[in-house]
Amino acid sequence: MQRKKQSHILDDMKQLMKWNVLIANVLPVMTGFVLAIASTNAAFQDYWLQFLLACIGAALVMAGALIINNWYDTDIDSKMERTKKRPTVTGKFTKRQVFITGLGATVSGFILLLVVNLEVIFYAFIGWFTYVVLYTMWSKRKYTINTLIGSISGAVTPMIGWAVVNSAIHIVPLTVSLLLFIWQVPHTFAIAIKRREEYRAAGVPMLPVVYGFDITRRQMLVYIICLFPLPFLIAQLGTLFVVISTILHVGWIVLALAGFWMKNQRKWAQWNFLYSVNYLVIVFMLLIFVGMV
């Protein structure tokens, strides 16, 4: 009975910090670090402790931002099918408990990052402030550009990892961050198409809700095309990376174009969602691979 109760608490905590989103944001931090080690010819053993602290600290800061997002969005989450079981909606945690947990995670994360260096803290703060203040509290409920604003917070993660070793004002982390920023837009639009009626009921002005599927499809295609030249900007990472990422881009462009004649838009959006997830995992695993060999 005790184990079952502990399991439920763990599941609630995972939902509170949006576990899948959190893990997806830690991967680019690791990627940035591996690429920095490879590009600067640094020794891993000289930075392993800073790397560990950066990963844990960044994860705590991100978890804090996601938890505070849940605290602030309880009213919205109660109206959407996919978020109705979050502990903030079910009442398993009080709003005060959630806020204190989010704030505690945030402060703990920044304390750990302080041991690493100030540049790491700077990028982590940009991510936290953008997600909590500019996205959650300001733009999400008011403007369709909420997707662009929210994408900034996820885009800084490779720079956090790179800054553990050296300044992230470098073509590689900047390009990888730009790739992540652009990727988030069609990925999020695909979710918004699938869940349009839920967003409408919650009063969230996502692009498909305000302007419909046609404009959303066009914008998705534009952003996916914008991804195409990015691997060539960092061709120094090797032919393998450029070739595979280009093939993935072409595949996504073809899939995006298919949306202009498919009748079932939600099915098409689901395909785009799945493709975008696999695209990101493959690209970042590939970046880690080329950084290690």
Side-chain angles (χ1 to χ4, degrees):
M1 189 73 177
Q2 186 68 22
R3 287 184 180 179
K4 188 175 181 180
K5 184 178 180 180
Q6 290 174 347
S7 176
H8 283 293
I9 292 175
L10 183 61
D11 289 340
D12 288 336
M13 286 301 299
K14 284 183 175 180
Q15 287 197 49
L16 191 62
M17 66 179 68
K18 303 180 183 179
W19 182 253
N20 292 337
V21 176
L22 182 62
I23 295 301
N25 277 278
V26 173
L27 178 61
V29 175
M30 298 172 61
T31 304
F33 175 78
V34 170
L35 291 174
I37 289 289
S39 298
T40 61
N41 294 316
F44 174 78
Q45 58 268 26
D46 293 337
Y47 291 95
W48 72 268
L49 181 57
Q50 294 97 314
F51 170 63
L52 184 62
L53 291 172
C55 283
I56 297 173
L60 283 170
V61 171
M62 294 170 201
L66 292 166
I67 291 169
I68 292 173
N69 171 269
N70 272 336
W71 164 78
Y72 194 84
D73 280 351
T74 303
D75 58 331
I76 291 176
D77 290 341
S78 66
K79 298 174 183 177
M80 298 184 67
E81 193 63 36
R82 70 185 180 91
T83 55
K84 281 184 177 179
K85 293 183 179 180
R86 286 179 179 169
T88 45
V89 177
T90 60
K92 292 181 180 179
F93 298 140
T94 66
K95 292 200 71 173
R96 184 173 182 273
Q97 288 173 328
V98 172
F99 180 76
I100 291 174
T101 301
L103 189 61
T106 298
V107 173
S108 300
F110 278 120
I111 290 173
L112 288 179
L113 294 179
L114 186 61
V115 181
V116 183
N117 62 56
L118 293 178
E119 188 175 355
V120 166
I121 291 178
F122 175 70
Y123 298 132
F125 177 76
I126 289 176
W128 185 92
F129 182 81
T130 302
Y131 190 77
V132 172
V133 178
L134 299 184
Y135 171 69
T136 300
M137 297 181 177
W138 175 57
S139 65
K140 182 176 181 178
R141 299 164 185 254
K142 295 180 180 180
Y143 309 110
T144 56
I145 60 167
N146 57 17
T147 301
L148 280 174
I149 293 170
S151 296
I152 297 171
S153 59
V156 299
T157 47
M159 301 182 76
I160 293 174
W162 186 286
V164 173
V165 180
N166 205 350
S167 172
I169 308 303
H170 185 284
I171 186 64
V172 174
L174 289 173
T175 302
V176 175
S177 292
L178 181 58
L179 183 149
L180 194 52
F181 170 77
I182 295 172
W183 169 87
Q184 288 176 91
V185 180
H187 170 77
T188 305
F189 284 169
I191 297 173
I193 290 175
K194 289 198 306 171
R195 303 283 183 175
R196 181 173 72 164
E197 297 312 313
E198 290 184 41
Y199 282 114
R200 190 193 303 279
V204 180
M206 299 299 288
L207 194 68
V209 174
V210 178
Y211 293 108
F213 288 162
D214 285 345
I215 288 179
T216 306
R217 282 199 310 264
R218 291 174 203 159
Q219 290 209 16
M220 285 177 68
L221 179 60
V222 169
Y223 281 102
I224 294 168
I225 290 173
C226 287
L227 286 170
F228 188 83
L230 297 186
F232 298 95
L233 296 179
I234 48 177
Q236 66 196 76
L237 296 180
T239 304
L240 179 67
F241 169 72
V242 173
V243 170
I244 293 180
S245 57
T246 299
I247 292 171
L248 289 171
H249 288 147
V250 171
W252 201 359
I253 290 171
V254 171
L255 181 57
L257 287 169
F260 290 93
W261 64 79
M262 278 189 67
K263 292 183 179 179
N264 191 331
Q265 290 294 288
R266 287 178 176 81
K267 185 175 182 180
W268 171 79
Q270 174 66 7
W271 288 356
N272 271 272
F273 169 76
L274 293 174
Y275 193 98
S276 67
V277 171
N278 285 282
Y279 166 88
L280 191 70
V281 171
I282 293 171
V283 166
F284 275 87
M285 293 304 293
L286 185 59
L287 284 169
I288 290 175
F289 174 76
V290 298
M292 294 179 67
V293 295

